[in-house]
Amino acid sequence: MLKKEDIAKRIAEELQDGWYVNLGIGIPTLVANYIPKGVDVTLQSENGLLGMGPFPTEENIDADLINAGKQTITTMPGSVFFDSSDSFAMIRAGKVQLTVLGAMEVDQNGDIANWKIPGKMVKGMGGAMDLVASAENIIVAMMHTNRAGESKILKKCSLPLTGVNCVTKVVTNLAVLEVKDGAFHLLERAPGVTVGEIQNATDGELIIAGEVPEMKL
Amino acid sequence: MKKVVKDVEEALEGIESGMTLMLGGFGLCGIPEKCIEALSKKPEITNLTCISNNAGVDEFGLGLLLKNRQIKKMISSYVGENAEFERQMLSGELEVELTPQGTLAEKCRAGGAGIPAFFTPAGYGTEVAEGKESREYNGKMYILEESLVSDYSIVKAWKGDTKGNLVFKATARNFNPAMAMAGTITIAEVEHLVEPGELDPNEIHTPGIFVHRIFEGKDYEKRIEQKTISQ
């Protein structure tokens, strides 16, 4: 079973040289720590920055420089600031090649739910609906099951949706899944996890073709 | 026409109960903290509709107006940092229109650009699309969203000149330029107010034509929501 850092590490392998990438809050943020050597990616923060750098040192903190998670950050050489409407212009126009975000549920249609639990949690969608409706590659980083052990990889999402038919890949603590043609395709297993265990933890249709390799981390 | 006002009081003249305000900022970054604080000291102004990406925190930013029950309705994309907000929303005291962040930004930009509505893919197939026209373009589905304008837009800039030209700093720019465009009257509070000619015309973000009143605020607190540090 993968730790959160390992999920981030596995997702980082999907990054391609030259890509502009938007990382959501939580596990997706950790992906920035594992960008492979020689792969030049530019991180987009939807509050208005291309070229996000690491957290600042105490003496370099700037209240005017934060990321979309409202954390203090720094910029990389060659970075650029812009306003929110330009930020979402580049997102909607598909200039940001990859979005990585968390989810409460995903389903085999590629639908995702991650912004609302009716009557319980109503914080808003932020930029998630714009991001999932736009990027060509949407990778979801999440736990395969909830705390009660119930699958979050579903036939049909039960929570209010963030977007439809948009998720391309899911990386969980158990597996790497590709979403296409109305099903989850099992690409890789987490080290030490069996196909049977993944099958048991998956509610949606799972396609298993031949030997499923173990993830290399 | 003289755009410079002597203080925040003069800047806010004319704001009345029931009006629609746009307030710039993302989280607490780039919010017009002087104008919000001054509005919170006018509790007689109520029933406001506030368009702002977030709703402040309990003791700062729009949280101050929420605490006073001055806001009737919020149009925002994310409101997760404010306990009083959540209480008023769940109890039904506060009307909330949650809007995808990019759609909110474009509603302001388009409103300020004389475009009354536009199609966006954000929210298609979700509850955001309920009751809205949807249409297919080039094989992809989009929903029709109507633009926004305000009675007063209140923005915060780093530098401004007496003509109303504005320069923003870092990610404190966020919603401020689009909201400045969409104001029937736009008020800009700035950290540094300078004379015409002192700002390089090549580096101005918001042309002064969008700004009606401007003043220099003193002693900005610029509260940080999540202080994160590299070890």
Side-chain angles (χ1 to χ4, degrees):
Chain A
M1 219 174 329
L2 298 187
K3 293 183 303 211
K4 287 179 176 178
E5 289 75 14
D6 295 326
I7 294 176
K9 216 170 179 178
R10 176 59 191 82
I11 291 172
E13 288 172 29
E14 302 284 322
L15 300 174
Q16 292 186 22
D17 194 47
W19 270 7
Y20 293 97
V21 177
N22 183 291
L23 301 176
I25 296 164
I27 301 173
T29 305
L30 302 174
V31 173
N33 299 334
Y34 303 105
I35 298 169
K37 280 218 162 46
V39 175
D40 179 23
V41 299
T42 303
L43 299 180
Q44 202 253 17
S45 190
E46 67 266 26
N47 57 319
L49 167 62
L50 274 171
M52 179 166 58
F55 296 146
T57 54
E58 182 82 45
E59 55 275 15
N60 286 324
I61 285 178
D62 181 352
D64 291 324
L65 181 48
I66 63 168
N67 64 18
K70 285 122 186 164
Q71 297 170 313
T72 49
I73 47 156
T74 57
T75 57
M76 301 297 281
S79 64
V80 55
F81 300 116
F82 35 83
D83 81 276
S84 299
S85 66
D86 278 356
S87 179
F88 284 92
M90 53 186 84
I91 288 167
R92 276 191 307 267
K95 311 294 180 189
V96 175
Q97 281 91 355
L98 169 66
T99 286
V100 183
L101 74 174
M104 299 190 272
E105 296 175 345
V106 295
D107 72 26
Q108 62 198 35
N109 182 44
D111 297 358
I112 174 172
N114 72 352
W115 74 282
K116 183 178 183 182
I117 303 172
K120 249 190 194 170
M121 186 212 77
V122 194
K123 291 181 185 295
M125 66 291 280
M129 284 192 182
D130 310 88
L131 283 158
V132 300
S134 306
E136 200 176 327
N137 304 289
I138 308 285
I139 300 181
V140 173
M142 65 190 295
M143 294 294 140
H144 214 96
T145 55
N146 63 19
R147 288 199 188 106
E150 295 156 344
S151 184
K152 294 159 71 170
I153 312 294
L154 306 174
K155 286 188 185 68
K156 188 101 197 99
C157 288
S158 64
L159 293 168
L161 295 177
T162 308
V164 294
N165 193 15
C166 56
V167 176
T168 51
K169 228 170 229 184
V170 186
V171 179
T172 74
N173 52 329
L174 302 182
V176 179
L177 308 166
E178 188 180 9
V179 189
K180 66 172 183 192
D181 307 326
F184 294 104
H185 298 252
L186 181 56
L187 300 185
E188 296 171 26
R189 301 172 288 119
V193 174
T194 66
V195 169
E197 285 169 318
I198 295 164
Q199 182 83 71
N200 282 338
T202 305
D203 169 73
E205 189 182 348
L206 187 67
I207 309 282
I208 303 155
E211 277 294 298
V212 179
E214 212 170 70
M215 269 178 231
K216 291 187 191 72
L217 290 163
Chain B
M1 197 192 92
K2 191 174 149 293
K3 295 187 178 183
V4 178
V5 292
K6 66 176 186 298
D7 56 17
V8 65
E9 292 304 317
E10 192 182 342
L12 298 178
E13 263 176 28
I15 295 182
E16 293 169 11
S17 295
M19 282 186 167
T20 296
L21 309 182
M22 284 184 184
L23 300 112
F26 181 96
L28 301 178
C29 183
I31 62 170
E33 59 175 77
K34 299 300 165 195
C35 285
I36 294 171
E37 190 189 8
L39 275 173
S40 77
K41 290 177 180 156
K42 299 176 188 295
E44 68 280 7
I45 299 176
T46 59
N47 280 310
L48 295 170
T49 294
C50 290
I51 302 166
S52 170
N53 188 56
N54 311 89
V57 294
D58 282 321
E59 298 299 329
F60 194 65
L62 283 180
L64 296 172
L65 305 191
L66 282 165
K67 197 173 68 176
N68 290 347
R69 310 284 182 85
Q70 290 174 272
I71 302 176
K72 175 189 68 177
K73 179 179 178 180
M74 285 289 317
I75 300 177
S76 304
S77 88
Y78 191 81
V79 292
E81 327 288 354
N82 187 321
E84 175 63 13
F85 182 98
E86 203 156 2
R87 192 198 64 72
Q88 287 185 24
M89 176 169 64
L90 292 173
S91 71
E93 294 163 57
L94 179 69
E95 195 183 332
V96 180
E97 192 173 313
L98 289 169
T99 303
Q101 194 177 132
T103 299
L104 183 62
E106 190 60 19
K107 277 173 177 257
C108 299
R109 194 206 66 83
I115 294 174
F118 55 91
F119 281 94
T120 176
Y124 174 74
T126 76
E127 63 181 53
V128 166
E130 284 169 17
K132 292 172 186 163
E133 182 186 340
S134 59
R135 206 183 277 191
E136 186 182 325
Y137 288 99
N138 303 315
K140 186 166 172 165
M141 294 305 295
Y142 297 81
I143 61 174
L144 182 65
E145 292 280 8
E146 291 186 0
S147 306
L148 292 167
V149 290
S150 69
D151 294 309
Y152 283 80
S153 282
I154 307 177
V155 302
K156 151 83 196 330
W158 180 33
K159 294 187 276 193
D161 68 19
T162 57
K163 298 280 222 178
N165 297 307
L166 303 178
V167 176
F168 303 91
K169 191 179 148 221
T171 56
R173 193 182 318 182
N174 55 62
F175 280 82
N176 285 298
M179 288 182 170
M181 292 167 69
T184 306
I185 293 176
T186 293
I187 302 165
E189 55 172 84
V190 301
E191 289 176 60
H192 305 284
L193 182 62
V194 302
E195 291 301 316
E198 289 187 50
L199 298 177
D200 180 347
N202 288 300
E203 295 180 355
I204 289 166
H205 300 126
T206 291
I209 193 169
F210 294 118
V211 176
H212 305 87
R213 301 176 188 174
I214 188 165
F215 71 98
E216 187 175 280
K218 298 274 180 254
D219 305 318
Y220 276 89
E221 177 178 342
K222 295 195 189 181
R223 198 180 289 191
I224 292 172
E225 250 173 283
Q226 306 246 4
K227 185 171 151 183
T228 42
I229 299 174
S230 285
Q231 294 309 320

